[in-house]
Amino acid sequence: MSPITLLKRLIMAIGTLFGVAVVVFLLLRVVPGDPVSMMISPGASQADIAALRVQYGLDGSMFKQFVIWISAALRGDFGVSISLRRDVLQLLGERLPATMELAIAALEFAVILGGTVAIVGTMARRTALESTIDALNGLFLAIPDFVWALALVLAFGVFLPILPLTGRIDPSVSSGMATPFYFAESILRLRFDVLADVSRHLVMPILALGLPLAAVIARVLKGSLNEAMAQDYILLARLKGMSKLRLVLQEALRNAIGPTLALTGVQFTFLIGGTVIVERIFAYPGIGNMAIDAMINRDLPLIQGLVLMFAVIFIAINITVDLLAVVFNPKLRRG
């Protein structure tokens, strides 16, 4: 990717963010309900209500409200949460690490599992094992993440209660942690008690999010591997005596990974979106769980901050995937 192309992508990203800001602002203003009415006591006077409207910038026209909000957002001020009475940016900073650790762990699990299944399926081409793998893969594709979450709650929370049902960490082991990145910090500080507890809390959410994504990765990568294995250079290498495992890992995989990488990037954005439901089911304290509370309470500043944060994450993932595609495919560097 040339510097000019990268600059165009960044300009498009800024335009997309502005468009998202406009759309979410307008949508939240036309939804029925008054956010101020949810934060006042039954005996509040009209003067109290008017004061709150002024405090949260809800007393002017929609255009004026938008200008005030977007100007403040550009300065890093996303306002104060109506329901939690705390700075929105501070709340996002506290919850985002939990969601990112969960999403990245689920992605790693999905890539390892899906990649392994694809390679095994390619190695077992035209055998009963391949048919079994394809059948199971189709089943896993058909089951959405929230159904996996409910099934895991029944399996490991009720019938075989060996894993914690809710939360991110036991309060008794979380003392002394300096950052909200519990998993990463516990490794760096060799706090194995924290690492073990965080890992136990992550198992079920990771499985719920990672299993459907693993099935998608396995299907696409296996198709690309089979295509690559039919190429002439593979046949030539086979005639020279190269083993099938080396052909798959050293030759076919290198050419098949490009399409899978692009798809994984797109699917990762869906995975982050899926954290909203999965975090709710496991009472996991991430931004997905907080988003549902914000919508229930019609907390406009918090919803706007969350949507913009999701948009930034999605755009960053897409740009990263484009850059990685260039790394793995030198032909794209000429573009």
Side-chain angles (χ1 to χ4, degrees), residues 39 64 73 99 162 166 214 246 248 286 306 317 320 326 330:
M39 56 188 295
K64 183 182 176 183
T99 297
I162 57 175
T166 61
R246 286 186 62 192
V248 172
L306 282 163
I317 290 172
T320 303
V326 172

Side-chain angles (χ1 to χ4, degrees), residues 140-153:
F140 277 47
L141 271 173
I143 301 176
D145 48 19
F146 69 90
V147 176
W148 278 113
L150 295 175
L152 289 164
V153 167

Side-chain angles (χ1 to χ4, degrees), residues 93 97 169 173-182 184-186 189 191 194:
I169 189 171
V173 299
S174 63
S175 61
M177 301 302 286
T179 73
F181 293 93
Y182 294 155
E185 185 181 341
S186 63
R189 297 177 58 184
R191 285 286 305 272
V194 175

